[in-house]
Amino acid sequence: MPVTSTAPTDDFVAQADSYRRELIAHCYRMMGSLQDAEDLVQETYLKAWRSYDRFEGRSSVRTWLYKIATTTCLTALESRKRRPLPSGLGAPADDVPHEKVVESGEVPWLQPIPDGMIADTATDPASIVGLRESTRLAFIAALQHLPARQRAVLILRDVLKWQAAEVAGALEISTAAVNSVLQRARAQIADVSPSEDDRPQPLTAEQERLLERYVAAFEAKDVSTIVDLFTAEAVWEMPPFRLWVRGGERIAQLNARQCPAGPDGLRLRHTRANGQLAFGVYIRGDDDVFRPFQLHVLELGETRVEHVVCFFGVDFAKFGLPDSVTD
């Protein structure tokens, strides 16, 4: 039955707001930017508020909001560049320069997202795992290499599990076109798509010790230990810098030559980002107060670290981290 009210009811506002976290996750997958995701969710709610009197209830409020959010993202992507990670733009560095590396300000880099913004720990644990799988950095980075419509179809079909006919209706294309687009998108990112076999597992005792060693090594700037933390093929990248390196030796060199902190010049605090373990890294100031410096987002192997994306300019408060530490 059509809704006859000319303005959103309190019930609609309550329903719509309950989907805010998952809509932020959806827009983040589409855009690769937390800031864009927040802005586009606000725009989605504004559009829904303005058009609620025309909502006929043929779908659920949730599906209706996702359709608005998807089309809003597609419009935004017409004027935005994709957001890569440095490892998606070229080969690793053969050597680490001694001179200070320069930021690549012309690239709109991929941004991290706090787990707390996309999952409520009071909800179904299986839903939380699914959200975290579909926002991990490798998957989001791969999505950025897909054309916008392929990106939307893949997310709606494989992440949200919509039927092909539902996706066709939301994007105003044929079901055959949806299936064709989905096939191309899956082929491009097959190696990093979320799967039931790739679900995160509880940390082993050895991984717990690895994280303790990671914190101790970086706080002490212990170069030899840093080498031993990483696998031979481990990747370290740090947008907004294009330079990235592979292997423990290069990673240790990079931190030795480029990190301005000396021994006992950093403090690490645990958090979570993109469904992955992360550390907020603080650097000591002249007043001995440690202030936000970097966010390390980690992928762990069984005994070593396999990948670190080191982000700069992160709003630590969004990750539940203090604005300074003194110990």
Side-chain angles (χ1 to χ4, degrees):
M1 179 180 295
V3 176
T4 57
S5 171
T6 58
T9 64
D10 290 343
D11 179 61
F12 167 72
V13 172
Q15 285 188 68
D17 199 54
S18 69
Y19 301 119
R20 185 174 295 274
R21 277 191 175 92
E22 58 182 285
L23 287 171
I24 287 176
H26 179 60
C27 292
Y28 173 73
R29 294 183 198 103
M30 288 290 296
M31 307 302 298
S33 162
L34 173 56
Q35 181 179 340
D36 285 350
E38 291 181 296
D39 290 345
L40 292 171
V41 168
Q42 287 299 106
E43 188 175 339
T44 295
Y45 278 107
L46 180 59
K47 288 179 177 179
W49 183 84
R50 287 174 172 169
S51 62
Y52 184 61
D53 60 324
R54 300 189 297 279
F55 176 57
E56 298 179 346
R58 294 177 181 175
S59 65
S60 67
V61 169
R62 179 177 182 266
T63 298
W64 181 57
L65 288 170
Y66 267 103
K67 178 178 179 179
I68 296 172
T70 302
T71 55
T72 300
C73 288
L74 288 172
T75 299
L77 286 168
E78 292 175 1
S79 59
R80 287 170 171 79
K81 297 179 180 179
R82 65 184 177 92
R83 289 180 172 270
L85 288 173
S87 57
L89 297 180
D94 292 329
D95 193 20
V96 178
H98 288 274
E99 64 275 11
K100 185 177 180 180
V101 294
V102 179
E103 296 183 15
S104 297
E106 77 280 3
V107 178
W109 297 103
L110 185 68
Q111 297 175 352
I113 191 168
D115 276 20
M117 292 191 70
I118 57 174
D120 182 352
T121 55
T123 62
D124 175 32
S127 298
I128 294 171
V129 169
L131 276 170
R132 287 175 173 171
E133 286 174 349
S134 61
T135 54
R136 72 186 193 274
L137 284 174
F139 182 57
I140 301 299
L143 286 174
Q144 297 304 300
H145 291 272
L146 296 178
R149 192 168 295 276
Q150 282 190 26
R151 203 180 303 178
V153 168
L154 184 86
I155 292 168
L156 292 173
R157 287 285 281 121
D158 286 0
V159 176
L160 298 178
K161 307 302 182 184
W162 283 24
Q163 297 297 316
E166 292 179 288
V167 178
L171 300 182
E172 299 182 352
I173 58 178
S174 69
T175 302
V178 168
N179 292 332
S180 176
V181 169
L182 179 62
Q183 185 176 14
R184 294 196 300 272
R186 282 174 172 169
Q188 289 193 54
I189 66 167
D191 291 341
V192 294
S193 293
S195 74
E196 293 291 327
D197 298 331
D198 196 30
R199 294 205 157 189
Q201 301 296 322
L203 292 177
T204 65
E206 189 162 10
Q207 288 174 323
E208 293 278 10
R209 289 191 292 271
L210 174 63
L211 292 175
E212 292 174 2
R213 292 174 59 221
Y214 186 96
V215 171
F218 278 92
E219 290 188 347
K221 203 169 185 177
D222 182 342
V223 175
S224 61
T225 299
I226 291 174
V227 173
D228 192 51
L229 292 171
F230 294 90
T231 66
E233 294 299 311
V235 168
W236 180 286
E237 50 191 328
M238 48 183 196
F241 302 95
R242 278 183 178 266
L243 179 144
W244 65 281
V245 296
R246 188 185 298 278
E249 292 283 352
R250 289 283 185 268
I251 291 170
Q253 281 182 356
L254 181 66
N255 280 276
R257 296 176 183 178
Q258 295 295 328
C259 180
D264 200 37
L266 299 177
R267 292 292 182 269
L268 276 65
R269 296 293 183 267
H270 179 266
T271 186
R272 291 193 65 91
N274 294 78
Q276 299 170 226
L277 293 164
F279 290 103
V281 181
Y282 297 78
I283 190 167
R284 185 193 295 273
D286 293 338
D287 55 0
D288 287 334
V289 174
F290 293 84
R291 294 184 175 84
F293 179 43
Q294 304 166 335
L295 181 79
H296 293 185
V297 184
L298 285 66
E299 288 184 15
L300 299 183
E302 292 184 6
T303 61
R304 297 286 189 275
V305 180
E306 295 181 342
H307 197 152
V308 174
V309 184
C310 171
F311 293 97
F312 290 79
V314 173
D315 183 350
F316 273 31
K318 290 184 181 293
F319 291 84
L321 295 167
D323 59 4
S324 64
V325 294
T326 55
D327 59 340

